[in-house]
Amino acid sequence: MVMSEWKSEEEVGTYIEQLETPVPVVDLDRLAVNLDRMAAYATLHGLQLRPHVKTHKSPRIAAEQMRRGAMGLTVATLREAEVMSEVCNDLLIAYPPIGAARLERMARLPAEVNLTVAADGVAGITALSLAAKLSRREIGVYVEADLGMHRVGVQGVEDAIALARLASETSQLRFAGLMFYPGHIREDVSEMGAGIERLSNNVQRYCNALVDAGLPPKVVSGGSTPMAWRTHEVPGVTEIRPGTYVYNDRTTALIGACDWEDCALTVAATVVSTAVPGQAVIDAGAKALGREPARADTDGYGALLDQPDVVVARMSEEHGTLDLSRTNWRPRVGDVVRVVPNHVCIVVHLFDEIIGVRGTSVETRWPVAARGRTTGQDVTSTFRTGPRMA
Ligand SMILES: Cc1ncc(COP(=O)(O)O)c(C=O)c1O
């Protein structure tokens, strides 16, 4: 469906101020611009776009990404994989494939889904081999390398070669490429030069070693939102997996990876108290905004869309305290404000539904279909040998 057709009859004539708050509100025009811009960047630089769905968790947005040229999707959870298999038959599970219940659930994904999974150890490859046999399918393997994030990933080229070889020699598995996540590069976009140079050297080192070992990676998959726009400076990368770019957030704007006007999702909240001087309390606290700190040199858990100087300075579960010390603006009880959260992915995950608006007019709504982890069915492993308890 084209975004301009999103209008649903029952929403016509409703405005943000009429919604029960707190509620996540997405500016549909900004969303479309964000989707188009990343698709155009990927096309311009000959990169394959495989967006990470963890930000929106919505098949509706995923379908829009596919319509704009994404060649597949990236997921982290099996719930995301199940929901996204309704709109896409090429999924990358960018998460270690460990745990019997996870594997069985993976094996139950629809047979027509072309599955690629990231692995950084022999245990992952062994597990994937089992999942491939269980589901009678071939599974592609991205060997994940740690190129500075220090979260997961092989620690050297020898390990990468060994895993790539193991994957290519294991029946029903296929060595599909090299993957890394540059989440450690989070400085201002204009100051990423040194980090990008280090990353480029590492990517080259891994690629050359794999080529020399007779295992050239068909795909080199990188890309996060903060450094997505500079991916073309890293020779060898063929695929990017940005997620946050669909909505953007305060952190993304603070590091210059988007403009403030590109923040498409805000949490609409109502001022519920102005009793204490110098502040206003809204009905969005940690259960609506998450408790992600901003960058080291910035305070608050979010800032107002219309007045970025006004930040949510403190939060309880259901209360957020706006610091009014940097403004002459004095809201009244009952006013509705819109908060740009520090980390939008966490916020989306806190709500069942998203409201789509144009200006202040409500046009549509859609479920955050892939939030949570349940399937509605029993996900207990049937394997006799259960996981080891640490
Ligand atoms: C493996 C992986 N790829 C891609 C992404 C997307 O990065 P971003 O949130 O910066 O868009 C993430 C984010 O957590 C990730 O973990």
Side-chain angles (χ1 to χ4, degrees), residues 258-274:
C258 74
D259 289 334
W260 191 246
E261 292 66 38
D262 300 326
C263 291
L265 186 146
T266 51
V267 176
T270 303
V271 175
V272 292
S273 173
T274 54

Side-chain angles (χ1 to χ4, degrees), residues 152-362:
V152 293
V154 295
Q155 296 295 302
V157 290
E158 294 309 324
D159 287 346
I161 291 169
L163 277 195
R165 181 159 291 130
L166 183 60
S168 63
E169 289 174 355
T170 302
S171 73
Q172 291 181 247
L173 297 189
R174 177 174 43 86
F175 169 51
L178 176 73
M179 169 181 148
F180 65 92
Y181 173 54
H184 57 293
I185 302 183
R186 302 197 74 81
E187 50 271 58
D188 193 282
V189 171
S190 63
E191 294 162 6
M192 285 178 177
I196 288 177
E197 200 178 322
R198 267 193 304 277
L199 187 69
S200 300
N201 291 338
N202 277 325
V203 170
Q204 281 302 302
R205 206 158 49 79
Y206 273 77
C207 286
N208 291 342
L210 285 163
V211 168
D212 290 348
L215 295 157
K218 281 209 182 74
V219 175
V220 178
S221 178
S224 59
T225 294
M227 74 152 287
W229 309 108
R230 296 190 66 171
T231 308
H232 61 284
E233 296 174 43
V234 185
V237 173
T238 65
E239 174 179 286
I240 51 174
R241 308 181 310 273
T244 305
Y245 79 98
V246 286
Y247 295 148
N248 290 313
D249 54 24
R250 184 170 177 235
T251 306
T252 309
L254 284 169
I255 63 176
C258 74
D259 289 334
W260 191 246
E261 292 66 38
D262 300 326
C263 291
L265 186 146
T266 51
V267 176
T270 303
V271 175
V272 292
S273 173
T274 54
V276 178
Q279 67 179 44
V281 173
I282 55 174
D283 58 0
K287 285 182 173 170
L289 297 173
R291 194 176 276 285
E292 290 269 322
R295 280 165 58 89
D297 54 354
T298 321
D299 62 345
Y301 296 104
L304 297 194
L305 180 68
D306 296 336
Q307 311 198 56
D309 281 348
V310 178
V311 303
V312 181
R314 294 191 310 280
M315 290 187 301
S316 316
E317 291 180 38
E318 303 287 359
H319 300 74
T321 303
L322 299 180
D323 175 4
L324 302 180
S325 64
R326 294 173 219 153
T327 176
N328 293 325
W329 171 72
R330 289 292 173 268
R332 286 172 311 185
V333 168
D335 284 353
V336 172
V337 296
R338 292 172 69 182
V339 181
V340 178
N342 284 354
H343 187 177
V344 71
C345 313
I346 304 292
V347 169
V348 170
H349 190 66
L350 296 172
F351 289 92
D352 293 324
E353 204 178 43
I354 303 285
I355 305 291
V357 300
R358 236 173 270 278
T360 57
S361 171
V362 173

Side-chain angles (χ1 to χ4, degrees), residues 2 24 29 37 56 59-60 92 107 121 232-233 311 313 335 348 352-353 371 381:
V2 182
D29 294 327
R37 192 187 290 132
H56 57 70
R60 195 154 158 182
L92 162 66
H232 61 284
E233 296 174 43
V311 303
D335 284 353
V348 170
D352 293 324
E353 204 178 43
R371 73 181 289 233
S381 166

Side-chain angles (χ1 to χ4, degrees), residues 105-144:
R105 197 166 166 183
M106 189 187 296
R108 284 199 296 268
L109 286 169
E112 64 275 15
V113 172
N114 179 17
L115 207 56
T116 306
V117 184
D120 69 354
V122 174
I125 304 281
T126 309
L128 282 179
S129 158
L130 201 58
K133 286 193 180 78
L134 271 180
S135 57
R136 296 192 187 85
R137 72 196 321 152
E138 187 187 75
I139 297 181
V141 177
Y142 278 178
V143 171
E144 181 158 11

Side-chain angles (χ1 to χ4, degrees), residues 7-36:
K7 211 168 206 136
S8 58
E9 286 302 320
E10 71 271 21
E11 310 296 354
V12 174
T14 308
Y15 293 90
I16 295 176
E17 293 74 17
Q18 295 170 269
L19 299 169
E20 185 182 340
T21 56
V23 62
V25 161
V26 164
D27 184 310
L28 296 171
D29 294 327
R30 291 183 186 200
L31 169 62
V33 168
N34 293 343
L35 294 174
D36 285 339

